[in-house]
Amino acid sequence: MARCEICDKGIQTGHRVSITRSQVSRRANKTWKPNIKKIRIIEENGTHRTIKICTRCLRSNKVQRAV
């Protein structure tokens, strides 16, 4: 699956807990997927490259986006 090339964020797994009963908590498997985008960036030497990056890294200006 897709991973952010800057912060290495990927799929996380865990349990979705149902609390409808008082004694027993039902658990079901759940996956959380990151918001990964495919964008073109400008590298330090001026060349363009396409990478997969999460929107948090994109919003915090960790790369310079090619327009």
Side-chain angles (χ1 to χ4, degrees):
M1 195 64 195
R3 252 184 203 285
C4 178
E5 294 183 22
I6 304 296
C7 66
D8 204 39
K9 184 189 286 187
I11 291 179
Q12 291 184 346
T13 60
H15 294 291
R16 181 174 51 226
V17 179
S18 172
I19 51 173
T20 57
R21 301 180 139 204
S22 61
Q23 296 293 324
V24 178
S25 292
R26 305 270 180 187
R27 288 177 176 85
N29 293 332
K30 168 125 175 80
T31 59
W32 288 272
K33 295 179 182 176
N35 194 359
I36 302 285
K37 304 291 183 192
K38 194 174 187 182
I39 66 163
R40 287 183 68 200
I41 64 166
I42 300 173
E43 291 184 331
E44 294 156 356
N45 57 4
T47 61
H48 296 290
R49 188 167 71 108
T50 301
I51 64 167
K52 293 178 182 173
I53 186 171
C54 67
T55 53
R56 180 162 300 229
C57 291
L58 184 62
R59 190 174 60 206
S60 62
N61 292 327
K62 294 192 176 178
V63 294
Q64 184 178 2
R65 190 171 190 167
V67 178

